[in-house]
Amino acid sequence: MRSPTSSKNLTQSIVQDLGVAIVTGQYYDVPFPKEIELSEKYGAARTVTREAVKMLTSKGLLSARKRQGTRVEREDNWNLLDPDVLRWLLERNFSLELLIEFTQIRLSVEPGAAALAAQVATGDERAAIAHAISRMQEAELGRDDPLNADIAFHVSVLQASGNRFYRQMREMIETALRFSIRKTNDFKGRLASVADHKVVADAILVGDSAGAETRMRDLIQGALDLMLKVKAQEENRRAQGR
């Protein structure tokens, strides 16, 4: 008999496998397997595969209808705010368009979070922001991981906003940043500017709400402008047949 932990791990493994299969189009023109077929494929109890299907349904990837069984939903119905779905999409094939859309969402979220953080952040939350900047500085010297330090900064600002909706976006933002930061750094040929992040942090730490909002908007707009420039260059190359 499987332990609850092993059953949970197996469920997560099936969700991961099926999620990737759905997002990569493996069920584009074939019926989604029936419950008994999934149980046989994964060597799992039907209760386990049923739970996996429920989880994928909650993410918008699947739907169940009477007499029609379970089917894969159109991409427009997928929950792109779900970190798993977003990760699977980003891992599928690199899509600059998807990163641009994600950065546009960041532009509408993070400046507001920074403004609130400047007003309401606790001492511990301000310390977390300052520590993230210190980590970025250490990363420049090779003493910390630059990607994780950068992500820690953005997550700490969302956490310090005091707004439960901003806070709940942390996991989604972190998931996508793991792809977008690497790409923008590749485009620039260097690591993210610690100085640009520090001016945001400084504004938050001194309680300058308007300044924090403006500096965070400038920071993200810079990344967006870079992506749009690369996109335009790629479109120009395609137009010229290169």
Side-chain angles (χ1 to χ4, degrees), residues 15-24 27 32 52-64 70-75 77-80 82 84-86 88-89:
V15 168
Q16 168 70 20
D17 192 61
L18 290 175
V20 170
I22 292 169
V23 168
T24 55
Y27 295 109
F32 190 77
V53 169
K54 284 181 180 178
M55 292 174 69
L56 291 167
T57 300
S58 71
K59 297 175 186 294
L61 273 64
L62 297 174
S63 63
T70 302
R71 72 175 191 180
V72 174
E73 279 291 318
R74 294 181 299 108
E75 186 170 329
N77 294 330
W78 298 351
N79 179 9
L80 301 184
D82 183 287
D84 287 336
V85 177
L86 184 58
W88 295 330
L89 278 169

Side-chain angles (χ1 to χ4, degrees), residues 4-206:
T5 300
S6 63
S7 294
K8 182 178 180 181
N9 291 341
L10 180 56
T11 301
Q12 292 292 345
S13 177
I14 294 172
V15 168
Q16 168 70 20
D17 192 61
L18 290 175
V20 170
I22 292 169
V23 168
T24 55
Q26 294 181 37
Y27 295 109
Y28 178 73
D29 55 359
V30 297
F32 190 77
K34 295 179 181 178
E35 190 176 287
I36 189 171
E37 296 171 329
L38 291 174
S39 294
E40 292 174 353
K41 176 180 179 179
Y42 293 105
R46 294 178 69 170
T47 53
V48 172
T49 56
R50 188 178 303 130
E51 180 63 23
V53 169
K54 284 181 180 178
M55 292 174 69
L56 291 167
T57 300
S58 71
K59 297 175 186 294
L61 273 64
L62 297 174
S63 63
R65 292 176 173 79
K66 288 185 178 179
R67 301 187 181 87
Q68 294 182 20
T70 302
R71 72 175 191 180
V72 174
E73 279 291 318
R74 294 181 299 108
E75 186 170 329
D76 285 348
N77 294 330
W78 298 351
N79 179 9
L80 301 184
L81 299 181
D82 183 287
D84 287 336
V85 177
L86 184 58
R87 175 168 49 83
W88 295 330
L89 278 169
L90 290 166
E91 289 176 347
R92 179 173 61 182
N93 283 312
F94 172 66
S95 169
L96 182 57
E97 189 64 40
L98 184 62
L99 280 186
I100 287 172
E101 291 179 12
F102 163 69
T103 306
Q104 289 167 337
I105 290 296
R106 289 183 61 206
L107 198 57
S108 67
V109 169
E110 293 190 64
L116 282 175
Q119 298 174 29
V120 305
T122 65
D124 286 345
E125 289 165 349
R126 292 174 189 272
I129 292 171
H131 179 61
I133 294 297
S134 295
R135 288 187 60 189
M136 292 186 71
Q137 293 169 333
E138 289 292 296
E140 283 192 322
L141 301 173
R143 295 198 289 258
D144 204 328
D145 181 81
L147 178 61
N148 288 335
D150 197 338
I151 290 172
F153 169 75
H154 291 280
V155 170
S156 68
V157 173
L158 292 171
Q159 177 65 30
S161 71
N163 182 295
R164 68 192 72 188
F165 295 99
Y166 284 148
R167 285 176 170 175
Q168 287 204 3
M169 298 187 77
R170 286 175 302 170
E171 192 174 356
M172 183 271 289
I173 294 286
E174 178 177 353
T175 298
L177 280 175
R178 293 200 173 276
F179 291 84
S180 66
I181 290 173
R182 282 197 295 261
K183 282 298 177 182
T184 52
N185 287 350
D186 286 345
F187 294 154
K188 290 182 292 189
R190 58 179 173 81
L191 297 178
S193 168
V194 178
D196 290 345
H197 287 70
K198 189 174 185 301
V199 294
V200 181
D202 289 345
I204 293 173
L205 297 179
V206 300

